[in-house]
Amino acid sequence: MEREYQTTSETTFRNCVLTSYDYGSEQLHILRTTGPLGRRERIPIFEHILKINSSGKLFYTLDNRGGHEIELSPEDMDVLNNLLMTGGINYVRGAVITSDDAYSILVSMANAKAKAHNFEVELISTTNHDEAETFVVSKLRECLRAEP
């Protein structure tokens, strides 16, 4: 997919590299796992995103084609959702790229937990990088078209 956005930063965290892009008035964040990624590893990433994100919306892909362990309990999801919500994020669109079939269960649980807390979240899980990027960028474009 040809990219219509500009790289603004690339930051390395424990077990993850985050690349952020400006796309109109929004940002797209691409996370690439380099090792296991649980709650402990995600908190500093989300805190960083909250500092640099330009709106109350979060658009991201999580690329785990390397097959690293990604473990999140329901409590972990609550902690991460609360971190985002208290940080001003109220709208999330994301895609996880993984060959782990069980990850779709985590995505379904994350979507359900967010809905129960009136947190506007839509996540997908796929094995295809282009499908993930197309999903997230299409949601980002929808938001940009809806802006006054």
Side-chain angles (χ1 to χ4, degrees):
M1 165 178 277
E2 184 178 326
R3 294 200 165 136
E4 303 171 21
Y5 34 92
Q6 300 294 318
T7 304
T8 55
S9 68
E10 184 168 288
T11 309
T12 301
F13 294 90
R14 180 177 181 200
N15 299 339
C16 181
V17 176
L18 168 68
T19 306
S20 299
Y21 301 88
D22 279 343
Y23 194 118
S25 60
E26 296 294 340
Q27 287 184 311
L28 173 64
H29 304 282
I30 298 180
L31 297 91
R32 183 178 47 81
T33 61
T34 57
L37 199 64
R39 174 169 81 177
R40 185 177 61 182
E41 292 80 19
R42 287 180 191 223
I43 287 175
I45 297 165
F46 282 20
E47 289 172 339
H48 179 76
I49 287 172
L50 288 170
K51 288 178 187 171
I52 66 169
N53 204 59
S54 57
S55 76
K57 298 178 179 79
L58 172 60
F59 300 93
Y60 77 93
T61 62
L62 172 58
D63 186 347
N64 189 35
R65 287 179 285 180
H68 301 287
E69 183 69 28
I70 296 181
E71 186 175 306
L72 288 176
S73 70
E75 179 187 338
D76 294 339
M77 291 177 197
D78 287 340
V79 167
L80 295 170
N81 285 347
N82 286 333
L83 176 64
L84 292 174
M85 287 187 291
T86 59
I89 300 292
N90 56 23
Y91 179 99
V92 177
R93 296 299 183 263
V96 178
I97 307 156
T98 182
S99 58
D100 182 354
D101 292 334
Y103 203 83
S104 63
I105 296 168
L106 281 176
V107 167
S108 295
M109 188 184 325
N111 282 324
K113 289 185 80 49
K115 185 175 183 178
H117 290 98
N118 294 319
F119 188 34
E120 201 171 329
V121 173
E122 186 177 357
L123 305 174
I124 66 164
S125 176
T126 179
T127 58
N128 184 289
H129 179 272
D130 288 343
E131 179 183 351
E133 189 170 333
T134 297
F135 169 78
V136 174
V137 170
S138 72
K139 298 298 180 177
L140 191 155
R141 287 179 180 153
E142 283 177 20
C143 281
L144 291 174
R145 282 193 299 271
E147 287 181 354

